[in-house]
Amino acid sequence: MGMLFANDANKERVQAVVGNVHRMGITNTVISDVDGRRLPEDEADILRCSQLQNELLLAAIDCCIAKSKTGGYVVYSTCSVLVREKTALSIVEENEWVVDYALKKRNVKLVPTGLDFGKDGFTK
C-alpha cells in the first residue's frame, strides 16, 4: 500500500481536505499546510533530525542492562524542529518512524505508560 501526501498553504482548505479524507475512510494520508515551495528544504531538515533521533534512541536502548530484573525502560519523547510549521509528515518521521526503526533494530517492545495525554501513535 502506498502513502498519499496532500499539501495546501491555505489552512482553511486543508481543513476541508482533512474532512474529505476522513469521510472517505482513507487512512494512508499525510496532510500539511506549508508553502509548497518550502517542502524540499523542510524534508531535508526532517530527514536529518530523524537520523539523529534514530542514533540517539538506539544509544539509549544500548545503555539499558538487558540482564537486569526488568531489562530497563527507555522513555522516548521529542519536540519538533518545525515548531511553527509542524506538519503531519514531520510528526510521523520524527516520532513513529524513529520508534519503528528502534523496534526493528533492537529486541525491545512498547509498554503502556499509564499516562493519559497526547495522541495515540504506535499501539504495538
Side-chain angles (χ1 to χ4, degrees):
M1 177 167 71
M3 187 71 129
L4 173 65
F5 292 91
N7 181 69
D8 195 313
N10 184 312
K11 291 184 185 212
E12 291 175 12
R13 287 193 299 241
V14 166
Q15 290 175 351
V17 172
V18 170
N20 286 329
V21 165
H22 284 289
R23 181 179 54 79
M24 293 186 291
I26 301 171
T27 59
N28 63 333
T29 306
V30 174
I31 303 169
S32 62
D33 62 355
V34 298
D35 181 339
R37 296 170 292 186
R38 298 215 35 222
L39 287 175
E41 62 190 60
D42 285 352
E43 181 181 10
D45 287 341
I46 293 167
L47 294 176
R48 274 192 298 274
C49 288
S50 294
Q51 181 57 38
L52 175 61
Q53 290 295 319
N54 287 341
E55 294 171 14
L56 290 170
L57 184 53
L58 292 184
I61 291 168
D62 292 343
C63 287
C64 289
I65 301 170
K67 294 184 180 186
S68 71
K69 185 176 180 181
T70 63
Y73 291 90
V74 173
V75 177
Y76 177 68
S77 175
T78 64
C79 77
S80 176
V81 295
L82 300 174
V83 175
R84 289 185 22 213
E85 297 179 5
K86 187 78 164 176
T87 65
L89 177 60
S90 69
I91 293 167
V92 171
E93 287 188 339
E94 285 187 291
N95 296 297
E96 280 86 351
W97 287 1
V98 172
V99 172
D100 186 55
Y101 179 82
L103 291 169
K104 290 176 180 172
K105 292 290 186 181
R106 297 295 188 268
N107 184 23
V108 295
K109 65 180 179 178
L110 298 176
V111 296
T113 63
L115 302 174
D116 185 26
F117 67 92
K119 295 182 180 181
D120 289 343
F122 275 111
T123 58
K124 320 183 192 176

